[in-house]
Amino acid sequence: MMPLQTETTYDLQAIRADFPILQRRVNGHPLVYLDNAATSQKPRQVIDALLHYYEHTNANVHRGLHTLAEEATEAYESARAKVARFIGAEPQSVVFTRNTTEAINLVAYAWGLANLKAGDVIVLSEMEHHSNIVPWQLIARMTGARLHYVPFTPEGELDMDALERALQQEPKLVAITHVSNVLGTINPVEEITRKAHAVGAKVLIDGAQAVPHKPINVAQIDCDFYAFSGHKMLAPTGIGALYARRELLEEMPPFMGGGSMIRRVTHEYSTWADIPTKFEAGTPNIADGIAFGAAVDYLQHIGIETIQQHEQQLTAEALRLLEAEEDIVIYGPRDPGRRCGLVSFNFKHVHPHDVAQILDKHGIAIRAGHHCCQLIMRRLDVAATARASFYLYNTIEEVRAFWKALDDVRKVFGKYGGR
Amino acid sequence: MVDDELYREIILEHYHHPRYKGALPDANLTAEGMNPLCGDELTLYLKTDGDRIVEARFEGRGCSISQASASMLTEAVRGLTLEEAKHLQERVKAMLTGAPHEPFDEDDDLSVLEGVKNYPVRIKCALLAWTTLGEILEQQEG
């Protein structure tokens, strides 16, 4: 057995104390929250940023000339700069959206409708989340473009040979996830981008499961679009971001029309505000945007590399424990270094909903379902999987408590043996 | 005994030994049901003689609650007229959603489904087979 490193370089108890919800008890047990891939918990610092805005600074942005309006604008734009810096971008290239899904829809409707025509090929993978499939299906229907899906290998990694073949069709766009929310697989996005650019394709990366867990630099990846959500990285729900190459944002027509995004409005036509405001019609989600900045501050204070290391230890332990169980199937790459901090699994004879329900009795929150990835489920030939996903505040003891509680699943279902 | 309101012995027994699972090639009434958020799938087959259900089977995959509920349904509707099946369907639906209903006898397997109503996220699992039955019956009425 590999020696197990349980030391982490930050003060885990101090971190946990920042998250009020971790004091909760669920069904008589301390909460063990292992559903971080769905949404993360929020630290006091982020909650305080929300409260502070509403209690001290509440005003609309980009329009008032009074003190509150100036402070609100300053805080909102400073949050944008923090988020941009966090992914190695300039602030003008970062559009605030509601979430990853809205960011991808923005690209689909603004860039896609203007640039795609009948017969054009859009390359996706079979490990995409529905939010990086359905917008492209809608745009394909409107433009006559064609979708081509790259499969993944039995080990749960993107089939790079199949990708190479797909690129021979000279697609207009390659839209691919950075990290799979079911398999945990980290895709080689730099290599994919290089190869896609060589055939003239634009590249969109769905970074929803990557930005919270590993260092991201969009300039290094060299992608054209990068979409992610705030709520999976300690920020409130309802705020996300789209990075896009500056010249693309400048060329693209607006996604939605309305206040703020205009320069001049006449009876007949309007001209657009500078980027990124051109893509932020109406009063934006100011409070959550500011709190997004606070979340980035929090993550940077600990260090995203440190968080990644910690999650890798938790994942390695979860894999070690689950691999030893004969009645459990694990999905995705086995090497913790090739995946992010989550483990999808199934009991051979128990449906994942039943697993999640029984764990909930122990105060343990995991996810069970298709995770908005029905293409992956079809490929794995299952209706659903159970998924434990980790974040900076989870402990090795929580991973072990989760594993121990699986015995209760066997107590309820196991006595009948296999079906 | 499993001491659990949700995973009652009878539910687990139906799950592990579903009564009438499998296709029914000569079915004259059939409908497919799905819970899109969880991925549970079900096909319900009925064979009728006049307005009486003489055979009922199901195929599907899903959690113990959805499959046990489907198994109980196939057992319960055999021999009923379509009108009686409609009445039973409405009674189970009311029980699962907490609406007023005529209670089931304790020795009726269906009575154990009552415990599901205390687990709001699982109600749709137990309902799947019954809403699928409802679709078949509506098609007949329509």
Side-chain angles (χ1 to χ4, degrees):
Chain A
M1 195 189 297
M2 290 267 292
L4 183 71
Q5 192 191 350
T6 56
E7 297 281 315
T8 192
T9 49
Y10 56 85
D11 183 348
L12 205 42
Q13 288 316 314
I15 297 285
R16 289 179 64 82
D18 284 336
F19 290 79
I21 209 165
L22 298 180
Q23 305 305 314
R24 246 201 88 158
R25 293 180 78 81
V26 172
N27 295 324
H29 299 272
L31 168 67
V32 173
Y33 186 77
L34 303 179
D35 193 15
N36 294 287
T39 197
S40 69
Q41 297 302 344
K42 322 301 175 197
R44 170 62 63 202
Q45 290 81 342
V46 167
I47 299 167
D48 282 350
L50 276 179
L51 281 177
H52 187 270
Y53 168 75
Y54 283 122
E55 288 181 353
H56 297 277
T57 325
N58 181 47
N60 214 325
V61 292
H62 299 145
R63 51 192 72 175
L65 288 171
H66 53 83
T67 302
L68 294 190
E70 277 179 13
E71 285 176 6
T73 305
E74 159 62 23
Y76 185 67
E77 289 306 323
S78 140
R80 188 197 307 278
K82 286 174 188 175
V83 171
R85 207 160 42 236
F86 194 60
I87 57 161
E90 54 176 7
Q92 290 89 337
S93 287
V94 171
V95 179
F96 276 142
T97 62
R98 275 192 302 148
N99 44 43
T100 306
T101 301
E102 188 174 275
I104 294 172
N105 274 274
L106 193 165
V107 179
Y109 284 86
W111 180 85
L113 286 183
N115 289 281
L116 295 169
K117 57 180 192 317
D120 283 347
V121 174
I122 302 169
V123 169
L124 308 169
S125 88
E126 284 187 341
M127 64 168 86
E128 298 312 307
H129 191 259
H130 294 164
S131 58
N132 199 24
I133 296 174
V134 183
W136 301 114
Q137 289 175 339
L138 292 169
I139 294 302
R141 203 170 299 159
M142 288 182 212
T143 59
R146 196 160 52 81
L147 304 182
H148 180 102
Y149 291 93
V150 176
F152 56 88
T153 65
E155 292 73 41
E157 301 201 335
L158 197 69
D159 183 338
M160 292 300 280
D161 293 337
L163 177 78
E164 300 263 7
R165 289 194 294 278
L167 292 178
Q168 286 169 10
Q169 302 175 64
E170 299 188 354
K172 284 282 169 64
L173 178 76
V174 174
I176 219 132
T177 193
H178 197 158
V179 171
S180 162
N181 67 322
V182 174
L183 305 165
T185 315
I186 303 172
N187 284 322
V189 289
E190 283 181 40
E191 183 187 348
I192 292 168
T193 304
R194 196 174 62 245
K195 289 178 170 163
H197 280 169
V199 298
K202 297 282 183 284
V203 176
L204 177 146
I205 308 288
D206 172 352
Q209 299 293 345
V211 181
H213 306 286
K214 66 194 292 297
I216 299 300
N217 186 305
V218 289
Q220 199 179 320
I221 297 168
D222 198 31
C223 55
D224 301 284
F225 304 102
Y226 197 100
F228 56 108
S229 295
H231 72 94
K232 294 185 200 289
M233 50 188 285
L234 311 184
T237 52
I239 187 79
L242 172 70
Y243 156 81
R245 218 181 264 284
R246 195 181 176 136
E247 59 273 22
L248 286 171
L249 279 183
E250 276 164 358
E251 282 166 25
M252 279 156 57
F255 173 38
M256 289 190 286
S260 300
M261 49 74 72
I262 44 81
R263 183 182 303 279
R264 172 192 289 263
V265 176
T266 71
H267 282 79
E268 291 77 27
Y269 69 91
S270 302
T271 55
W272 317 131
D274 289 337
I275 61 163
T277 315
K278 180 168 87 173
F279 296 100
E280 293 180 4
T283 296
N285 187 354
I286 305 166
D288 294 318
I290 292 170
F292 196 177
V296 166
D297 284 343
Y298 191 92
L299 290 171
Q300 273 185 327
H301 179 69
I302 299 166
I304 196 79
E305 291 89 352
T306 313
I307 293 168
Q308 187 182 18
Q309 271 173 16
H310 175 66
E311 281 180 33
Q312 258 172 13
Q313 289 173 21
L314 300 181
T315 311
E317 177 68 346
L319 286 171
R320 184 183 75 85
L321 293 170
L322 294 181
E323 270 174 347
E325 305 290 357
E326 281 181 0
D327 54 354
I328 283 178
V329 182
I330 301 171
Y331 307 104
R334 292 305 163 88
D335 176 358
R338 296 176 77 92
R339 52 149 76 220
C340 261
L342 64 87
V343 179
S344 267
F345 66 97
N346 266 333
F347 272 88
K348 285 177 183 160
H349 306 297
V350 187
H351 193 279
H353 290 172
D354 295 314
V355 177
Q357 183 93 51
I358 290 168
L359 291 190
D360 181 62
K361 281 200 314 188
H362 298 261
I364 299 168
I366 65 157
R367 185 65 166 263
H370 54 56
H371 316 289
C372 297
C373 291
Q374 292 187 10
L375 296 190
I376 301 185
M377 298 299 121
R378 215 159 292 150
R379 176 102 183 162
L380 299 175
D381 195 27
V382 293
T385 72
R387 178 187 72 189
S389 53
F390 314 118
Y391 211 8
L392 68 162
Y393 37 69
N394 290 124
T395 66
I396 212 103
E397 291 76 22
E398 286 182 319
V399 174
R400 288 171 189 153
F402 148 73
W403 167 72
K404 273 193 84 173
L406 295 175
D407 266 344
D408 202 23
V409 176
R410 297 184 182 97
K411 260 182 225 147
V412 175
F413 283 89
K415 65 179 176 179
Y416 291 91
R419 291 178 60 207
Chain B
M1 260 313 262
V2 176
D3 177 27
D4 192 301
E5 187 187 20
L6 184 64
Y7 295 111
R8 299 280 293 275
E9 200 80 2
I10 296 166
I11 288 184
L12 292 172
E13 209 273 323
H14 271 274
Y15 174 56
H16 289 291
H17 305 287
R19 297 302 186 269
Y20 299 102
K21 192 164 181 175
L24 184 59
D26 59 347
N28 56 329
L29 302 175
T30 180
E32 286 179 18
M34 187 171 188
N35 279 336
L37 287 178
C38 59
D40 287 356
E41 297 168 349
L42 187 95
T43 307
L44 184 61
Y45 305 97
L46 300 182
K47 186 180 164 191
T48 54
D49 180 3
D51 73 341
R52 195 166 291 280
I53 298 167
V54 292
E55 180 97 58
R57 286 184 167 271
F58 78 100
E59 285 183 303
R61 56 183 187 177
C63 65
S64 58
I65 307 297
S66 74
Q67 300 299 295
S69 181
S71 171
M72 289 178 192
L73 181 150
T74 52
E75 200 170 49
V77 298
R78 282 163 179 260
L80 299 186
T81 65
L82 292 174
E83 200 183 322
E84 286 164 344
K86 178 79 184 156
H87 177 69
L88 178 69
Q89 190 256 352
E90 284 167 355
R91 201 170 147 203
V92 172
K93 202 170 157 187
M95 173 175 74
L96 285 168
T97 54
H101 64 280
E102 187 192 331
F104 289 92
D105 289 342
E106 260 181 41
D107 59 353
D108 188 331
D109 285 3
L110 291 172
S111 68
V112 303
L113 287 178
E114 180 130 36
V116 179
K117 77 165 189 268
N118 299 323
Y119 296 84
V121 296
R122 304 306 292 277
I123 293 170
K124 65 179 189 316
C125 312
L127 270 177
L128 178 61
W130 299 91
T131 49
T132 310
L133 173 64
E135 270 176 41
I136 289 184
L137 297 172
E138 264 170 43
Q139 285 165 18
Q140 288 307 294
E141 286 171 1

